[in-house]
Amino acid sequence: MRDQKERVYSIELLVKNEFRYALAVNLITQEQHDNYLQELKILTDYIYEKYKDFPGFYDEDWLKINAYYERVIALDFVRPYIKEDLEYFWLIEM
């Protein structure tokens, strides 16, 4: 079974790359890009700090992660294959 933090890290990388791509092809503004990355950074910093020595996540934190994941895949500019990759990383252990 994959480590939960590793799964969050994989989602983080995919999302960051998608935000960069969307900015590069002018699907989002620089301000939107920065806001998306800031929100992602807040969530991942929280996860990495809280769980640096603990392998499992608490239910309330899964709710935070799930809410963020749902918002990302609902964005119009996120490409379908990225949504599929995110779904794969998200559902791999569920």
Side-chain angles (χ1 to χ4, degrees), residues 52-66:
K52 63 184 172 189
D53 299 321
F54 185 70
F57 291 171
Y58 295 111
D59 290 343
E60 65 270 12
D61 295 325
W62 275 122
L63 294 174
K64 289 179 189 179
I65 296 166
N66 186 58

Side-chain angles (χ1 to χ4, degrees), residues 1 7 14 25 34 37 46 48 51 66 69-70 77-78 80:
M1 185 186 306
R7 188 167 72 161
L14 276 174
V25 297
D34 294 347
L37 287 182
Y46 167 80
Y48 296 145
Y51 296 102
N66 186 58
Y69 163 80
E70 293 290 338
F77 64 84
V78 177

Side-chain angles (χ1 to χ4, degrees), residues 63-75 90-91:
L63 294 174
K64 289 179 189 179
I65 296 166
N66 186 58
Y68 181 79
Y69 163 80
E70 293 290 338
R71 282 195 311 274
V72 167
I73 64 169
L75 295 170
W90 184 247
L91 298 176

Side-chain angles (χ1 to χ4, degrees), residues 19-42:
F19 293 159
R20 285 188 198 111
Y21 169 80
L23 178 63
V25 297
N26 296 319
L27 297 174
I28 59 175
T29 65
Q30 182 69 51
E31 182 181 359
Q32 288 172 310
H33 173 269
D34 294 347
N35 289 341
Y36 288 135
L37 287 182
Q38 181 62 28
E39 185 180 4
L40 178 62
K41 182 176 177 6
I42 290 168

